[in-house]
Amino acid sequence: MPGIKDRIAVAGVGATRFTEHWEKDQEDLLVEAVDEACRDAGIERSDIQAIWAGVYYHTTGMGGAAAVDPLRMYGVPATRVENFCASGMDAFRNACFAVAAGVYDIVLACGVEKITDSGSRGLPNVREGLHPFLPAPSAPAMFAMAATRAFEVHGWNKEDLARVAVKNHANGEKHPKAHFRRAITMDDAMNAPIIAYPLGRFDSCAVSDGASAVIVTTPAVAKTLTHKDDYVLAKANGLSVYTANPMYKPSFDYLGFPATQAAAKMAYEEAGVTDPFEQISLAEVHDCFTITELLNYEDLGFCKKGEGANFVRDGLANADGPLPVNPSGGLKSFGHPIGATGCRMIGEVTRQLQGRAEGVQVRDPELGLAHNLGGPGAVCSVTILGRQ
């Protein structure tokens, strides 16, 4: 199978600031992000031939109309993509496959979520697919089980979690579109109120509103647009889906996520990556909780099992380290408007590869990785992008 390697170009990216947008609704946010992506690519909305929009909550939007109505692009093929927290990156995946199939020349992948209007503390719960009688666990409660398990088996502790939060907030302080632009100390992280033991306030990403957009095309078309000399190529996308109820699966040990391991394997094989630590220049990974980022290091093959805490402790994931992880500040600094996060990550990696990051710029990147993990570790999408 030919796959998408070097057959897809990212021609333009856009994103709103991720924050509490009390004065804007989801339509305002999507229009802002899409128009920025169109300006970045040097195209008009009328040049877009099809749309895939990542939207998780029905309160944000339903069907393809969630994108077509705000953009006033009536009659254009449009599809709402929902795949837990990987919805936005799955929208990008569908857009890439449509262009690679030769059906379209220029398409839009985008995502939006308006959560703060819901009035809920934390993410609003959904009942679909959950146990019919037992209460739905909160996201912090689900990922706290991974932390306590890693403490028991690997000997990790709260200081190991805190180092992730301090690193990512130091990066996010410099990004103009981050929700939280403030550095924190180890004491801040260690002494923060507990949300679900051992995860405290600074171990958990926040609820935010936001939108993001990516213009997807072919390399031939990209050569005629604004970024004709520095467009970015898709090298691979891997998507893997496991059970949405890992807590009922006896073999699930909470020491990693099989969906990430499988998606990474697919992506590395297509991109020709055999040593991720040596070949990947930077990564934007799903740090919904600090423990998730530590386990991501291992699942993505950046280090061996049990060495995730050492990876951040030794500075290997720092912005000036050998494999910068979340130089944007990650979900810890941006929050997580679910449908929007995946395309934001694609935009961050694209800008890094073009040397025009809006926050911290890493040095001379060649290959960048973006990683979304959805639900209780049920869905993972891994995208690898590279310079021409």
Side-chain angles (χ1 to χ4, degrees), residues 231-256:
Y231 64 83
V232 164
L233 290 168
K235 298 294 183 181
N237 174 277
L239 177 76
S240 177
V241 182
Y242 276 70
T243 176
N245 298 289
M247 61 288 287
Y248 303 128
K249 190 175 176 58
S251 62
F252 185 69
D253 63 8
Y254 280 94
L255 292 173

Side-chain angles (χ1 to χ4, degrees), residues 143 156 255-257 260-261 264 268 284-303 308 311 325-326 345 369 371-373 380:
F143 284 86
W156 298 354
L255 292 173
F257 297 99
T260 293
Q261 297 157 13
Y268 290 154
E284 290 285 334
V285 308
H286 201 92
D287 59 325
C288 51
F289 300 95
T290 50
I291 181 63
T292 322
E293 180 167 322
L294 293 179
L295 296 175
N296 291 339
Y297 298 156
E298 301 175 2
D299 290 338
L300 290 167
F302 297 167
C303 63
F311 194 83
V325 178
N326 287 326
M345 290 173 154
L369 179 148
H371 159 265
N372 258 171
L373 183 66
C380 178

Side-chain angles (χ1 to χ4, degrees), residues 85-273:
C85 303
S87 299
M89 199 172 296
D90 203 353
F92 175 74
R93 173 177 177 269
N94 279 275
C96 290
F97 283 4
V99 172
V103 179
Y104 304 110
D105 293 320
I106 299 177
V107 301
L108 168 67
C110 58
V112 60
E113 212 75 64
K114 190 76 169 70
I115 302 177
T116 57
D117 289 348
S118 69
S120 169
R121 290 196 303 172
L123 291 174
N125 266 324
V126 294
R127 293 299 317 175
E128 292 80 6
L130 298 177
H131 194 282
F133 305 114
L134 296 177
S138 69
M142 286 191 287
F143 284 86
M145 290 188 280
T148 53
R149 181 73 171 148
F151 285 12
E152 171 67 20
V153 175
H154 297 320
W156 298 354
N157 55 43
K158 272 190 66 63
E159 286 191 9
D160 296 319
L161 304 180
R163 289 188 183 90
V164 175
V166 170
K167 171 183 70 72
N168 290 351
H169 279 277
N171 293 339
E173 179 189 25
K174 301 175 180 66
H175 201 302
K177 292 181 176 174
H179 189 157
F180 300 104
R181 299 188 60 200
R182 180 171 74 88
I184 63 170
T185 66
M186 286 293 288
D187 284 344
D188 292 333
M190 294 290 290
N191 296 322
I194 292 293
I195 305 296
Y197 183 84
L199 303 180
R201 176 183 291 164
F202 288 112
D203 293 306
S204 312
C205 78
V207 172
S208 302
D209 304 323
S212 57
V214 181
I215 303 298
V216 176
T217 186
T218 64
V221 173
K223 286 183 171 68
T224 68
L225 302 178
T226 300
H227 290 286
K228 60 183 179 182
D229 296 323
D230 66 346
Y231 64 83
V232 164
L233 290 168
K235 298 294 183 181
N237 174 277
L239 177 76
S240 177
V241 182
Y242 276 70
T243 176
N245 298 289
M247 61 288 287
Y248 303 128
K249 190 175 176 58
S251 62
F252 185 69
D253 63 8
Y254 280 94
L255 292 173
F257 297 99
T260 293
Q261 297 157 13
K265 183 173 185 293
M266 292 177 203
Y268 290 154
E269 285 180 356
E270 182 173 2
V273 173

